[in-house]
Amino acid sequence: MKVHRIIAIIEVENDNSITSVEVTNLHPTNNDIPLAVTNITTNGSANNIEQVYYSISKRRLAIADKLKSIARSINEGLDNYERDEITDDNTINETNDDLLL
């Protein structure tokens, strides 16, 4: 198993309004689009959307790198899980402990 993509929602508060941005990192399937803004909404003004979008767009590569780091950590955990699965084969030197599992 491997991470296919990461979808994150970022909420920014400004006075009494909230601007929500959904960003998608298509890790590792598409290096041409390091981070895509897939949805942006606000209960405030269009200026809020512009400020949040500009801030994310300007730092797109840094944000994408952090999300890729998260994907790598998850992938390592998945790889370790597959190696660390518990098995009970009751070899000759073991007692039958099936009732304990």
Side-chain angles (χ1 to χ4, degrees):
M1 293 175 57
K2 295 283 182 203
V3 172
H4 173 67
R5 67 179 163 208
I6 296 176
I7 300 171
I9 297 174
I10 303 160
E11 290 190 342
V12 179
E13 183 180 1
N14 182 21
D15 296 329
N16 292 327
S17 66
I18 300 285
T19 302
S20 296
V21 181
E22 180 182 271
V23 294
T24 303
N25 184 312
L26 303 172
H27 175 81
T29 58
N30 194 336
N31 288 327
D32 295 332
I33 305 172
L35 187 73
V37 174
T38 51
N39 191 12
I40 188 165
T41 58
T42 188
N43 63 354
S45 69
N47 189 43
N48 291 351
I49 290 176
E50 183 179 346
Q51 286 179 347
V52 171
Y53 181 82
Y54 178 76
S55 179
I56 289 172
S57 182
K58 196 171 174 184
R59 293 156 184 84
R60 188 177 300 254
L61 292 175
I63 295 168
D65 284 343
K66 293 193 185 315
L67 292 176
K68 284 182 181 181
S69 175
I70 292 169
R72 279 191 295 273
S73 294
I74 293 169
N75 285 340
E76 288 171 9
L78 291 170
D79 290 344
N80 290 337
Y81 177 82
E82 290 171 3
R83 285 193 298 263
D84 293 340
E85 284 189 50
I86 297 172
T87 59
D88 183 17
D89 60 0
N90 290 327
T91 61
I92 295 170
N93 295 331
E94 292 182 340
T95 59
N96 187 346
D97 59 356
D98 288 338
L99 295 175
L100 299 175
L101 290 179

